[in-house]
Amino acid sequence: MRALAAALLILVAFCQPAHAAATLDTVTTTSVYGCLRTNGAGVYDATVNKTFVTYSGTRHDIYVKAFDHATNTWSAAVKAATLNLTHDNAYHDYPVLTQLGDGRLAIFRATHTTSMQLYTAPTPRSITGTWTARTISTDKNTYPEPVVTGNTIHLFYSHNTDLSYPYRTFKMIKSTDNGATWSAPRMIIDSGRTADRYAEVYAFGVTQRSGRIYLTWSMHGGPLGHNGGGKNIYVAYFDTASGTLATAGGATLGNVIDPADVDKTRVVTTSPTDLPAGKALPEENPVTVPLSDGSLVLGYGVHTRTSARIVLARFANNTWTSTTVDTSTSLFKDLVATGNGVDFSYASADRRRLLVKSWQPGNGTATPKHDLTVPYTAGADTTFYANFVENRPSDLVANTIDYETRKTNHTGTWPVFSIRG
């Protein structure tokens, strides 16, 4: 307890006084690497006024904790699943937390390239008790991206179609009864085996509003093989009423985004060869969010041989307009809609600071909200994800890792921390 109290004091001290104060808490000091993207670290339930958080602990066992906003206290950790993994690719199996229409907390996790698991809490709006575990798909699943609307779950994932080519499609399964039963897999994006071999769909952000689920992805692979490079950023939406897909502007793409459709959805063009030494991917965590006025904002980081940028692109009146909001780093983390504006999080180029800013369309600059020196301990030197909490966009959950040993350290030694805005 003494060590934890000291750590919390250090966290508060790191908050820069020039910006709005943030409350920082250590969620755990025993996490391992998990390659979470722009969703799934935390969810807020207004009915009980609690934030629920998940993380991967020792040997990638899945844990959950609850923060009670009324008492400003964290619950004890509850183990939702025992995985006991020690292989170098275990980090791919990261848990994604959401809340079902019946109030139960749920975690989706892929046994990478093999199957998809669903873990559910025994009672609504609580993490206590023994969680149930079920395999809900054996479709060579990777990277779960669930979207819950009422009792319906659309679960998107990359399908490990042919790793040797490299070739990965993007598919979906659906449940209309809070996860009790599931549809057969359905194809969503299929680029085909392209001549340049950039044929792996890597989706980073899946968000929804008013019956439209917005998908944001890049094409990876290339001549160096699986995930050996990447190019471009693409945006489309899935209409839940009709079951069809469309471009951001509403041009229909039918039931599948096929090879003839892919280029119609391209928003940003990047070069897989215009990169600094040691960097394989030009884009960082692109995600699109719909605003209350019907416009869209795409946030992303992009890196070339001579520049690094954080960019916000707005789609309105059938036109994309891009604004560069930082020219010192490409380490974009997450984006969330806040009325007719957005908040976004990213890391400084040296990875030592985590920044949160607000932006209103039409403004060339973003307003700082938080500028925090990351509280690295236990050899950690990188903030891998910094996710906004679902239903509570002023809060984030972030993890830290040691970049060099992230794939081989399974003992659970690095902190996960929360920021309450």
Side-chain angles (χ1 to χ4, degrees):
M1 288 298 293
R2 184 177 300 169
L4 179 57
L8 293 179
L9 286 173
I10 291 171
L11 285 172
V12 174
F14 279 136
C15 184
Q16 302 296 318
H19 307 298
T23 300
L24 290 90
D25 290 324
T26 298
V27 178
T28 182
T29 57
T30 57
S31 75
V32 295
Y33 176 41
C35 58
L36 204 64
R37 291 173 180 171
T38 61
N39 68 337
V43 60
Y44 174 69
D45 184 338
T47 300
V48 292
N49 196 22
K50 291 182 179 180
T51 293
F52 302 100
V53 173
T54 191
Y55 59 90
S56 298
T58 301
R59 297 194 173 190
H60 301 266
D61 292 346
I62 301 173
Y63 290 87
V64 287
K65 293 185 78 171
F67 181 80
D68 188 324
H69 291 270
T71 61
N72 286 321
T73 57
W74 285 95
S75 72
V78 172
K79 185 186 287 190
T82 300
L83 304 182
N84 197 29
L85 302 176
T86 57
H87 57 87
D88 287 359
N89 286 322
Y91 67 94
H92 286 92
D93 298 343
Y94 62 80
V96 172
L97 177 69
T98 190
Q99 189 169 30
L100 303 182
D102 59 12
R104 288 178 300 155
L105 279 301
I107 292 172
F108 293 92
R109 167 250 175 188
T111 300
H112 191 57
T113 72
T114 303
S115 61
M116 187 75 73
Q117 281 70 48
L118 169 61
Y119 306 95
T120 51
T123 56
R125 311 185 191 286
S126 173
I127 62 173
T128 58
T130 301
W131 288 51
T132 59
R134 288 192 302 122
T135 296
I136 59 173
S137 178
T138 55
D139 192 37
K140 299 182 178 180
N141 314 78
T142 69
Y143 308 127
E145 297 272 7
V147 175
V148 177
T149 50
N151 295 330
T152 298
I153 310 164
H154 292 87
L155 180 60
F156 299 88
Y157 58 92
S158 288
H159 176 266
N160 196 43
T161 314
D162 183 356
L163 198 64
S164 65
Y165 186 74
Y167 178 34
R168 279 183 174 174
T169 55
F170 195 63
K171 301 176 80 174
M172 180 195 76
I173 55 176
K174 178 181 176 181
S175 171
T176 58
D177 52 14
N178 290 308
T181 60
W182 292 87
S183 70
R186 174 186 161 175
M187 186 66 71
I188 299 295
I189 305 171
D190 182 2
S191 70
R193 287 177 169 83
T194 60
D196 63 4
R197 293 182 177 253
Y198 288 98
E200 295 181 311
V201 178
Y202 266 69
F204 295 88
V206 175
T207 61
Q208 71 88 24
R209 189 184 191 96
S210 303
R212 293 180 177 181
I213 300 176
Y214 292 89
L215 313 173
T216 310
W217 74 97
S218 295
M219 297 306 303
H220 287 194
L224 297 180
H226 166 58
N227 205 27
K231 70 173 188 178
N232 304 340
I233 299 172
Y234 305 82
V235 177
Y237 70 82
F238 175 83
D239 188 303
T240 59
S242 66
T244 59
L245 293 130
T247 66
T252 183
L253 300 170
N255 292 323
V256 178
I257 297 174
D258 60 23
D261 294 328
V262 170
D263 207 48
K264 300 174 186 176
T265 66
R266 178 164 48 93
V267 176
V268 180
T269 301
T270 61
S271 171
T273 59
D274 184 18
L275 294 169
K279 191 171 178 64
L281 304 172
E283 80 289 333
E284 299 269 0
N285 290 327
V287 58
T288 302
V289 296
L291 305 189
S292 57
D293 64 2
S295 66
L296 307 175
V297 174
L298 163 66
Y300 61 95
V302 64
H303 211 132
T304 70
R305 189 173 285 109
T306 58
S307 69
R309 292 175 288 142
I310 301 293
V311 180
L312 301 177
R314 184 185 183 222
F315 185 77
N317 301 317
N318 214 37
T319 301
W320 287 97
T321 303
S322 296
T323 301
T324 297
V325 289
D326 196 298
T327 57
S328 65
T329 176
S330 65
L331 300 177
F332 190 80
K333 299 301 179 185
D334 200 6
L335 176 73
V336 66
T338 54
N340 283 329
V342 296
D343 284 0
F344 59 101
S345 64
Y346 64 99
S348 60
D350 62 7
R351 302 176 181 174
R352 295 182 180 274
R353 292 160 48 229
L354 181 64
L355 300 98
V356 180
K357 294 183 178 181
S358 298
W359 182 77
Q360 292 289 325
N363 292 344
T365 59
T367 303
K369 290 185 69 173
H370 308 304
D371 187 343
L372 310 169
T373 300
V374 180
Y376 290 127
T377 61
D381 60 11
T382 298
T383 301
F384 192 80
Y385 64 79
N387 287 177
F388 288 103
V389 172
E390 184 179 344
N391 302 328
R392 193 177 173 92
S394 60
D395 296 357
L396 293 93
V397 178
N399 85 324
T400 59
I401 58 171
D402 172 53
Y403 193 79
E404 290 299 319
T405 64
R406 68 194 188 283
K407 296 181 182 181
T408 57
N409 186 330
H410 309 290
T411 58
T413 59
W414 299 312
V416 171
F417 61 95
S418 72
I419 304 171
R420 282 179 283 122

